[in-house]
Amino acid sequence: LETFEPKDEDTAGVPFLFIPYLYCPRCQIPLELSSANLSKGNIQSGILSCQCGYTARITDGIILSDSYSEETPFKAFENVESVMAMKNQFSPLYRRLIAKAYVWIYHSITACLQDKNIFLVGPFTFNFILKYANRLGKDNTFIIMDPSLKRINKIKKYLTSQNNTFVFFVGKPENLPVKAGTADIYIDDYSTVNSLFTYNYFSTENISPLIKRGGTIAGIFTSYENAPKSLRNFQKDHPDFLPDKMTFSQLKQQWAAGNVRVKEVKSMGVTSSGEKHFPQNHPGESIEVQGYCALKEK
């Protein structure tokens, strides 16, 4: 009979201890939690609401806002939902540049690491957290956000076996129900680049208020200054996309508007012009992979 007993294999949800951080993104006041179902200290289901009309629901341990979608709106790559398989669309050289950037990001944030850090990750994040979560200190909390429920479910399966606490949110960054000044560290693992490709705007204005004063931002940015034809290929999927925004100077300016100062930029290298880096890449064009580290001013 034990063989047929129901197994509670996935009790990962919104940690009960995270409730004090659940704030209305519009009013910045605590949200009301109702109809909650708890399992092993995690909220598996419930309704979050504010007097202003903002609502979000918790389903299967995941916070869902009204802005979520089942499939990802980011259409630049195939198998985006599979998370791990997406990297196989890159050339070996491009994957090495990404791995080099990850090592640089890790060493850039080690000086500010303590126990019980709160990390903010996403949207459209790549694989840094999957690889480094268990190396970033003890008792950390990772807030992982993405507009796609299908993708978050995939990420959740990979991460919940690791020895940290995770809060999963599906929706746009502006609807994330988290108190301002919560995150110690923000990991921009292609999040800015992919937000530009998808929404044609920087997500920095929604993310910078969520970072503590003195908090750290570390991430990857790719320069397409020598790849105008590749950018035009992206426009086929996203007609409103503006290639002029794809410069690091624009990113630096956007962060500055949120009181974030870029401290260091490091070139990881340039892809070869004779290989295919991603499906939209135009033959003969190359791109530069950059790592950057920034600080939220006190």
Side-chain angles (χ1 to χ4, degrees):
L1 290 175
E2 288 180 0
T3 306
F4 299 96
E5 282 185 347
K7 301 290 184 180
D8 188 13
E9 295 179 348
D10 185 9
T11 57
V14 181
F16 189 75
L17 294 177
F18 195 76
I19 290 178
Y21 296 99
L22 294 174
Y23 269 49
C24 175
R26 303 171 186 170
C27 308
Q28 277 302 299
I29 59 174
L31 288 167
E32 179 181 336
L33 173 64
S34 59
S35 304
N37 179 26
L38 276 69
S39 176
K40 296 183 180 180
N42 293 313
I43 306 168
Q44 293 298 312
S45 62
I47 298 173
L48 297 168
S49 59
C50 179
Q51 295 177 353
C52 73
Y54 172 85
T55 60
R57 71 179 188 272
I58 302 172
T59 303
D60 296 327
I62 298 172
I63 302 173
L64 302 174
S65 80
D66 292 339
S67 61
Y68 91 93
S69 58
E70 290 288 340
E71 306 285 339
T72 184
F74 180 53
K75 304 297 184 182
F77 303 99
E78 298 176 0
N79 299 322
V80 174
E81 309 288 10
S82 67
V83 185
M84 295 298 287
M86 191 174 74
K87 67 181 181 181
N88 297 329
Q89 297 171 75
F90 298 131
S91 69
L93 173 58
Y94 197 12
R95 291 201 296 269
R96 287 195 294 271
L97 293 177
I98 294 172
K100 184 179 177 181
Y102 282 176
V103 173
W104 185 86
I105 290 171
Y106 173 72
H107 286 290
S108 295
I109 63 177
T110 50
C112 62
L113 290 178
Q114 301 175 354
D115 289 345
K116 299 183 179 180
N117 294 291
I118 297 180
F119 286 81
L120 181 60
V121 184
F124 307 111
T125 191
F126 199 42
N127 292 333
F128 178 83
I129 291 300
L130 298 181
K131 292 179 177 291
Y132 284 87
N134 280 341
R135 298 172 59 182
L136 294 172
K138 299 178 181 179
D139 302 320
N140 292 323
T141 297
F142 292 87
I143 306 168
I144 315 289
M145 59 177 164
D146 195 271
S148 164
L149 178 58
K150 189 174 180 180
R151 193 161 197 270
I152 280 291
N153 275 322
K154 288 282 188 178
I155 294 173
K156 185 183 178 188
K157 288 181 179 179
Y158 283 114
L159 289 176
T160 50
S161 63
Q162 302 199 35
N163 298 321
N164 285 288
T165 297
F166 296 94
V167 178
F168 298 98
F169 168 77
V170 186
K172 293 183 177 180
E174 57 265 35
N175 292 319
L176 179 66
V178 171
K179 183 180 180 180
T182 289
D184 298 291
I185 300 169
Y186 173 61
I187 302 297
D188 179 5
D189 185 8
Y190 281 96
S191 295
T192 297
V193 174
N194 294 338
S195 291
L196 284 170
F197 283 138
T198 305
Y199 299 128
N200 200 31
Y201 66 78
F202 291 87
S203 55
T204 53
E205 63 179 299
N206 300 307
I207 291 169
S208 57
L210 301 174
I211 304 170
K212 291 179 180 178
R213 292 185 177 182
T216 298
I217 298 93
I220 296 177
F221 192 82
T222 46
S223 174
Y224 290 81
E225 291 183 10
N226 297 318
K229 294 179 181 178
S230 299
L231 288 178
R232 285 197 289 272
N233 287 339
F234 278 103
Q235 283 184 300
K236 295 176 183 178
D237 290 324
H238 304 283
D240 297 330
F241 172 64
L242 298 177
D244 293 343
K245 292 186 177 182
M246 284 298 304
T247 63
F248 191 82
S249 60
Q250 285 280 340
L251 175 62
K252 188 175 180 180
Q253 181 178 333
Q254 292 294 321
W255 275 127
N259 206 28
V260 173
R261 175 175 57 86
V262 174
K263 298 191 300 180
E264 186 178 1
V265 183
K266 176 74 172 179
S267 176
M268 300 297 134
V270 179
T271 60
S272 168
S273 61
E275 61 180 329
K276 185 176 182 179
H277 322 302
F278 46 82
Q280 277 75 11
N281 182 67
H282 190 276
E285 292 188 336
S286 60
I287 63 171
E288 182 182 11
V289 178
Q290 300 169 313
Y292 79 95
C293 187
L295 180 72
K296 177 77 174 285
E297 298 284 8
K298 294 184 178 179

Coordinates of all heavy atoms in Angstrom, one line a residue, residues 17-84:
L17 N 7.7 33.0 6.7 CA 8.5 34.1 7.2 C 8.7 35.2 6.2 O 9.3 36.3 6.5 CB 9.9 33.5 7.6 CG 9.9 32.6 8.8 CD1 11.3 32.1 9.1 CD2 9.3 33.3 10.1
F18 N 8.3 35.0 4.9 CA 8.4 36.0 3.9 C 7.2 37.0 3.9 O 7.2 38.0 3.2 CB 8.6 35.4 2.5 CG 9.1 36.4 1.5 CD1 10.4 36.8 1.4 CD2 8.2 36.9 0.5 CE1 10.8 37.7 0.5 CE2 8.6 37.8 -0.4 CZ 9.9 38.2 -0.5
I19 N 6.2 36.7 4.7 CA 4.9 37.5 4.7 C 5.2 38.9 5.0 O 4.6 39.8 4.3 CB 3.9 36.9 5.7 CG1 3.4 35.5 5.1 CG2 2.8 37.8 5.9 CD1 2.4 34.9 6.0
P20 N 6.1 39.3 5.9 CA 6.3 40.7 6.2 C 6.9 41.5 5.0 O 6.8 42.7 5.0 CB 7.4 40.7 7.3 CG 7.2 39.4 8.0 CD 6.8 38.5 6.9
Y21 N 7.4 40.8 3.9 CA 7.9 41.5 2.7 C 6.9 41.6 1.6 O 7.2 42.2 0.6 CB 9.1 40.7 2.2 CG 10.3 40.7 3.1 CD1 10.5 39.5 3.9 CD2 11.2 41.7 3.2 CE1 11.6 39.5 4.8 CE2 12.3 41.7 4.1 CZ 12.5 40.6 4.9 OH 13.6 40.5 5.7
L22 N 5.7 41.0 1.8 CA 4.7 41.0 0.8 C 3.9 42.4 0.8 O 3.0 42.5 1.7 CB 3.7 39.9 0.9 CG 4.3 38.5 0.7 CD1 3.4 37.4 1.0 CD2 4.8 38.4 -0.8
Y23 N 4.3 43.3 0.0 CA 3.7 44.6 -0.1 C 3.0 44.9 -1.4 O 3.4 44.3 -2.4 CB 4.8 45.7 0.1 CG 5.0 46.1 1.6 CD1 5.2 45.1 2.6 CD2 5.1 47.4 1.9 CE1 5.5 45.5 3.9 CE2 5.3 47.8 3.3 CZ 5.5 46.8 4.2 OH 5.8 47.2 5.5
C24 N 2.0 45.8 -1.4 CA 1.4 46.2 -2.6 C 2.4 47.0 -3.5 O 3.0 47.9 -3.0 CB 0.2 47.1 -2.3 SG -0.6 47.8 -3.8
P25 N 2.6 46.6 -4.7 CA 3.6 47.3 -5.6 C 3.1 48.7 -5.9 O 4.0 49.6 -6.3 CB 3.7 46.4 -6.8 CG 2.4 45.7 -6.9 CD 2.0 45.5 -5.4
R26 N 1.9 49.0 -5.7 CA 1.4 50.4 -6.0 C 1.4 51.3 -4.8 O 1.9 52.4 -4.9 CB -0.1 50.3 -6.5 CG -0.3 49.4 -7.8 CD -1.8 49.2 -8.0 NE -2.0 48.3 -9.1 CZ -3.2 47.8 -9.4 NH1 -4.3 48.2 -8.7 NH2 -3.4 46.9 -10.4
C27 N 0.9 50.8 -3.7 CA 0.8 51.6 -2.5 C 2.0 51.5 -1.5 O 2.1 52.3 -0.6 CB -0.5 51.3 -1.8 SG -2.0 51.3 -2.8
Q28 N 2.7 50.4 -1.6 CA 3.8 50.0 -0.7 C 3.3 50.0 0.7 O 3.9 50.6 1.7 CB 5.0 51.0 -0.9 CG 5.9 50.7 -2.0 CD 6.5 49.3 -1.8 OE1 7.2 49.0 -0.9 NE2 6.3 48.5 -2.8
I29 N 2.2 49.2 0.9 CA 1.7 48.9 2.2 C 1.5 47.4 2.3 O 1.4 46.7 1.2 CB 0.4 49.6 2.5 CG1 -0.7 49.2 1.5 CG2 0.6 51.1 2.6 CD1 -2.1 49.8 1.8
P30 N 1.5 46.8 3.5 CA 1.4 45.3 3.6 C 0.1 44.8 2.9 O -0.9 45.4 3.0 CB 1.4 45.0 5.1 CG 2.1 46.2 5.7 CD 1.7 47.4 4.8
L31 N 0.3 43.7 2.2 CA -0.9 43.0 1.6 C -1.6 42.2 2.6 O -1.1 41.6 3.5 CB -0.4 42.2 0.4 CG 0.1 42.9 -0.8 CD1 0.8 42.0 -1.8 CD2 -1.1 43.6 -1.6
E32 N -2.9 42.0 2.3 CA -3.7 41.1 3.2 C -3.7 39.7 2.5 O -3.9 39.6 1.3 CB -5.2 41.6 3.2 CG -6.1 40.7 4.1 CD -7.5 41.2 4.1 OE1 -7.7 42.5 3.9 OE2 -8.4 40.4 4.3
L33 N -3.4 38.7 3.4 CA -3.4 37.3 2.9 C -4.7 36.6 3.4 O -5.0 36.7 4.6 CB -2.2 36.6 3.4 CG -2.1 35.1 3.2 CD1 -2.0 34.8 1.7 CD2 -0.9 34.5 3.9
S34 N -5.4 36.1 2.5 CA -6.7 35.4 2.9 C -6.7 34.0 2.2 O -6.0 33.7 1.2 CB -7.9 36.2 2.5 OG -7.9 36.5 1.1
S35 N -7.6 33.1 2.7 CA -7.8 31.8 2.1 C -6.4 31.0 2.0 O -6.2 30.3 1.0 CB -8.5 31.9 0.8 OG -9.7 32.6 0.9
A36 N -5.6 31.2 3.0 CA -4.2 30.6 2.8 C -4.2 29.1 3.2 O -4.9 28.7 4.2 CB -3.3 31.3 3.7
N37 N -3.4 28.3 2.5 CA -3.2 26.9 2.8 C -1.7 26.7 3.0 O -0.9 27.0 2.1 CB -3.7 26.1 1.6 CG -3.5 24.6 1.9 OD1 -3.4 24.1 3.0 ND2 -3.4 23.8 0.8
L38 N -1.3 26.3 4.2 CA 0.1 26.1 4.5 C 0.5 24.7 4.5 O -0.3 23.8 4.9 CB 0.4 26.8 5.8 CG 0.7 28.3 5.8 CD1 -0.5 29.1 5.5 CD2 1.3 28.7 7.2
S39 N 1.8 24.4 4.1 CA 2.3 23.1 4.2 C 3.8 23.2 4.5 O 4.6 23.8 3.8 CB 2.1 22.3 2.9 OG 2.8 21.1 3.0
K40 N 4.2 22.7 5.7 CA 5.6 22.7 6.1 C 6.2 24.1 6.1 O 7.3 24.3 5.6 CB 6.4 21.7 5.2 CG 6.0 20.3 5.3 CD 6.9 19.4 4.5 CE 6.4 17.9 4.6 NZ 7.3 17.0 3.8
G41 N 5.5 25.0 6.6 CA 6.0 26.4 6.7 C 5.9 27.2 5.5 O 6.4 28.4 5.5
N42 N 5.3 26.7 4.4 CA 5.2 27.4 3.2 C 3.7 27.6 2.8 O 2.9 26.7 3.0 CB 5.9 26.6 2.0 CG 7.4 26.6 2.2 OD1 8.0 27.6 2.5 ND2 8.0 25.4 2.1
I43 N 3.4 28.7 2.2 CA 2.1 29.0 1.7 C 1.9 28.4 0.3 O 2.6 28.8 -0.6 CB 1.8 30.5 1.7 CG1 2.1 31.2 3.0 CG2 0.4 30.8 1.3 CD1 2.1 32.7 3.0
Q44 N 1.0 27.4 0.2 CA 0.8 26.8 -1.1 C -0.3 27.4 -1.9 O -0.2 27.4 -3.1 CB 0.4 25.3 -0.8 CG 1.5 24.5 -0.2 CD 2.7 24.4 -1.1 OE1 2.6 24.1 -2.3 NE2 3.9 24.7 -0.6
S45 N -1.3 28.1 -1.2 CA -2.3 28.8 -2.0 C -2.9 29.9 -1.1 O -2.7 29.8 0.1 CB -3.4 27.8 -2.4 OG -4.0 27.2 -1.2
G46 N -3.5 30.8 -1.7 CA -4.0 32.0 -1.0 C -4.3 33.1 -1.9 O -3.9 33.1 -3.1
I47 N -4.8 34.2 -1.4 CA -5.1 35.4 -2.1 C -4.4 36.6 -1.4 O -4.6 36.8 -0.2 CB -6.6 35.6 -2.2 CG1 -7.3 34.5 -3.0 CG2 -6.9 36.9 -2.9 CD1 -8.8 34.5 -2.9
L48 N -3.7 37.4 -2.2 CA -3.1 38.6 -1.7 C -3.9 39.8 -2.3 O -4.1 39.8 -3.5 CB -1.6 38.7 -2.2 CG -0.7 37.6 -1.6 CD1 0.7 37.7 -2.4 CD2 -0.5 37.8 -0.1
S49 N -4.2 40.7 -1.4 CA -5.0 41.8 -1.9 C -4.7 43.1 -1.1 O -4.2 43.1 0.0 CB -6.5 41.5 -1.7 OG -6.8 41.3 -0.4
C50 N -5.0 44.2 -1.8 CA -4.8 45.6 -1.2 C -6.1 46.4 -1.4 O -6.9 46.1 -2.4 CB -3.6 46.3 -1.9 SG -3.3 48.0 -1.3
Q51 N -6.3 47.4 -0.6 CA -7.5 48.2 -0.7 C -7.6 49.0 -2.0 O -8.7 49.3 -2.5 CB -7.5 49.2 0.5 CG -7.7 48.6 1.8 CD -7.7 49.6 3.0 OE1 -7.4 50.8 2.7 NE2 -7.9 49.1 4.2
C52 N -6.4 49.2 -2.7 CA -6.4 49.9 -3.9 C -6.9 49.1 -5.1 O -7.2 49.6 -6.2 CB -5.0 50.4 -4.3 SG -3.9 49.1 -4.8
G53 N -7.1 47.8 -4.9 CA -7.6 46.9 -6.0 C -6.6 46.0 -6.5 O -6.9 45.0 -7.3
Y54 N -5.3 46.1 -6.1 CA -4.3 45.2 -6.5 C -4.6 43.8 -5.9 O -4.9 43.7 -4.7 CB -2.9 45.6 -6.1 CG -1.8 44.6 -6.4 CD1 -1.2 44.5 -7.6 CD2 -1.5 43.7 -5.4 CE1 -0.3 43.5 -7.9 CE2 -0.5 42.7 -5.6 CZ 0.1 42.6 -6.9 OH 1.1 41.7 -7.1
T55 N -4.5 42.8 -6.7 CA -4.6 41.4 -6.2 C -3.6 40.5 -6.9 O -3.2 40.7 -8.0 CB -6.0 40.8 -6.5 OG1 -6.3 40.8 -7.9 CG2 -7.1 41.6 -5.8
A56 N -3.2 39.5 -6.2 CA -2.4 38.4 -6.7 C -2.8 37.1 -6.0 O -3.3 37.2 -4.9 CB -0.9 38.7 -6.5
R57 N -2.6 36.0 -6.6 CA -3.0 34.7 -6.0 C -1.8 33.8 -5.9 O -0.9 33.9 -6.7 CB -4.1 34.1 -6.7 CG -3.8 33.5 -8.0 CD -5.1 32.8 -8.6 NE -4.8 32.0 -9.8 CZ -4.8 32.5 -11.1 NH1 -5.0 33.8 -11.3 NH2 -4.5 31.8 -12.1
I58 N -1.8 33.0 -4.9 CA -0.7 32.0 -4.7 C -1.3 30.7 -5.1 O -2.3 30.2 -4.5 CB -0.2 32.0 -3.3 CG1 0.3 33.4 -2.9 CG2 0.9 30.9 -3.1 CD1 0.7 33.5 -1.4
T59 N -0.7 30.0 -6.1 CA -1.2 28.7 -6.6 C 0.0 27.8 -6.7 O 1.0 28.2 -7.3 CB -1.9 28.9 -8.0 OG1 -3.0 29.8 -7.9 CG2 -2.4 27.6 -8.5
D60 N -0.1 26.6 -6.1 CA 1.0 25.7 -6.1 C 2.3 26.3 -5.6 O 3.4 26.0 -6.2 CB 1.2 25.1 -7.5 CG 0.0 24.3 -8.0 OD1 -0.7 23.6 -7.1 OD2 -0.3 24.3 -9.2
G61 N 2.2 27.2 -4.7 CA 3.4 27.8 -4.1 C 4.0 28.9 -4.9 O 5.1 29.4 -4.6
I62 N 3.3 29.3 -6.0 CA 3.8 30.4 -6.9 C 2.9 31.6 -6.8 O 1.7 31.4 -6.9 CB 3.9 29.9 -8.3 CG1 4.9 28.7 -8.4 CG2 4.3 31.0 -9.3 CD1 4.9 28.0 -9.7
I63 N 3.5 32.8 -6.7 CA 2.7 34.0 -6.7 C 2.4 34.4 -8.2 O 3.3 34.5 -9.0 CB 3.4 35.2 -6.0 CG1 3.7 34.8 -4.6 CG2 2.5 36.4 -6.0 CD1 4.6 35.8 -3.9
L64 N 1.1 34.5 -8.5 CA 0.7 34.9 -9.8 C 0.0 36.2 -9.8 O -1.0 36.4 -9.1 CB -0.3 33.8 -10.4 CG 0.2 32.4 -10.5 CD1 -1.0 31.5 -10.9 CD2 1.3 32.3 -11.5
S65 N 0.4 37.2 -10.7 CA -0.3 38.4 -10.8 C -1.1 38.4 -12.1 O -1.0 37.4 -12.9 CB 0.7 39.6 -10.9 OG 1.3 39.7 -12.2
D66 N -1.9 39.4 -12.3 CA -2.8 39.4 -13.4 C -2.0 39.5 -14.7 O -2.5 39.3 -15.8 CB -3.8 40.6 -13.4 CG -4.8 40.4 -12.2 OD1 -5.0 39.2 -11.8 OD2 -5.4 41.4 -11.8
S67 N -0.7 40.0 -14.7 CA 0.1 40.2 -15.9 C 0.8 38.9 -16.3 O 1.6 39.0 -17.3 CB 1.1 41.3 -15.6 OG 2.0 41.0 -14.6
Y68 N 0.6 37.8 -15.7 CA 1.3 36.6 -16.1 C 0.8 36.0 -17.4 O -0.3 36.3 -17.8 CB 1.3 35.6 -14.9 CG 0.2 34.6 -15.0 CD1 0.4 33.3 -15.6 CD2 -1.0 34.8 -14.4 CE1 -0.6 32.4 -15.7 CE2 -2.1 33.9 -14.5 CZ -1.8 32.7 -15.1 OH -2.8 31.8 -15.1
S69 N 1.6 35.2 -18.0 CA 1.2 34.5 -19.2 C 1.6 33.0 -19.1 O 2.6 32.7 -18.3 CB 1.8 35.1 -20.5 OG 3.2 35.1 -20.4
E70 N 1.0 32.1 -19.7 CA 1.3 30.7 -19.7 C 2.6 30.5 -20.4 O 3.5 29.8 -19.9 CB 0.2 29.8 -20.3 CG -1.1 29.7 -19.5 CD -0.9 28.9 -18.3 OE1 0.1 28.1 -18.2 OE2 -1.7 29.1 -17.4
E71 N 2.8 31.0 -21.6 CA 4.0 30.9 -22.4 C 4.8 32.2 -22.3 O 4.3 33.2 -22.0 CB 3.6 30.6 -23.9 CG 2.7 29.5 -24.1 CD 3.4 28.1 -24.0 OE1 4.7 28.1 -24.1 OE2 2.7 27.1 -23.8
T72 N 6.1 32.1 -22.6 CA 6.9 33.2 -22.5 C 6.7 34.2 -23.7 O 6.5 33.8 -24.8 CB 8.4 32.8 -22.5 OG1 9.2 34.0 -22.3 CG2 8.8 32.1 -23.8
P73 N 6.7 35.5 -23.4 CA 6.6 36.5 -24.5 C 7.9 36.7 -25.2 O 8.0 37.4 -26.2 CB 6.1 37.7 -23.8 CG 6.6 37.6 -22.4 CD 6.6 36.1 -22.1
F74 N 9.0 36.1 -24.7 CA 10.3 36.3 -25.2 C 10.5 35.2 -26.3 O 10.7 34.0 -26.0 CB 11.4 36.2 -24.2 CG 12.8 36.3 -24.7 CD1 13.2 37.4 -25.4 CD2 13.8 35.4 -24.4 CE1 14.5 37.6 -25.9 CE2 15.1 35.5 -24.8 CZ 15.4 36.6 -25.6
K75 N 10.5 35.6 -27.6 CA 10.5 34.6 -28.7 C 11.8 34.6 -29.4 O 11.9 34.0 -30.5 CB 9.4 35.0 -29.7 CG 8.0 35.1 -29.0 CD 7.5 33.7 -28.5 CE 6.1 33.8 -27.9 NZ 5.7 32.5 -27.3
A76 N 12.9 35.1 -28.9 CA 14.1 35.2 -29.6 C 14.8 33.8 -29.8 O 15.5 33.6 -30.8 CB 15.1 36.1 -28.9
F77 N 14.5 32.9 -28.9 CA 15.2 31.6 -29.0 C 14.1 30.5 -28.9 O 13.0 30.6 -28.4 CB 16.1 31.4 -27.8 CG 17.2 32.4 -27.7 CD1 17.1 33.5 -26.9 CD2 18.3 32.4 -28.5 CE1 18.0 34.5 -26.8 CE2 19.3 33.3 -28.5 CZ 19.1 34.4 -27.6
E78 N 14.5 29.3 -29.5 CA 13.7 28.1 -29.3 C 14.0 27.5 -27.9 O 15.0 27.7 -27.3 CB 14.0 27.1 -30.4 CG 13.7 27.6 -31.8 CD 14.1 26.6 -32.9 OE1 14.6 25.6 -32.5 OE2 13.9 26.9 -34.1
N79 N 13.0 26.7 -27.4 CA 13.2 26.0 -26.1 C 13.6 26.9 -25.0 O 14.3 26.6 -24.0 CB 14.4 25.0 -26.3 CG 14.1 23.9 -27.3 OD1 12.9 23.5 -27.4 ND2 15.1 23.5 -28.1
V80 N 13.0 28.2 -25.0 CA 13.3 29.1 -23.9 C 12.7 28.5 -22.6 O 13.3 28.7 -21.5 CB 12.7 30.5 -24.2 CG1 12.8 31.4 -23.0 CG2 13.4 31.1 -25.4
E81 N 11.5 27.8 -22.7 CA 10.9 27.3 -21.5 C 11.7 26.2 -20.9 O 11.5 26.0 -19.7 CB 9.5 26.8 -21.9 CG 8.6 27.7 -22.7 CD 8.1 28.9 -21.8 OE1 8.6 29.1 -20.7 OE2 7.2 29.6 -22.3
S82 N 12.5 25.5 -21.6 CA 13.3 24.4 -21.1 C 14.4 24.8 -20.2 O 15.0 24.0 -19.5 CB 13.8 23.5 -22.2 OG 14.8 24.2 -22.9
V83 N 14.8 26.1 -20.1 CA 15.8 26.7 -19.2 C 17.2 26.2 -19.6 O 18.0 26.9 -20.1 CB 15.4 26.4 -17.7 CG1 16.5 27.1 -16.9 CG2 14.0 26.9 -17.4
M84 N 17.4 24.9 -19.3 CA 18.8 24.4 -19.4 C 19.1 24.2 -20.9 O 20.3 24.4 -21.3 CB 19.0 23.1 -18.7 CG 18.9 23.2 -17.1 SD 20.1 24.3 -16.4 CE 21.6 23.2 -16.6

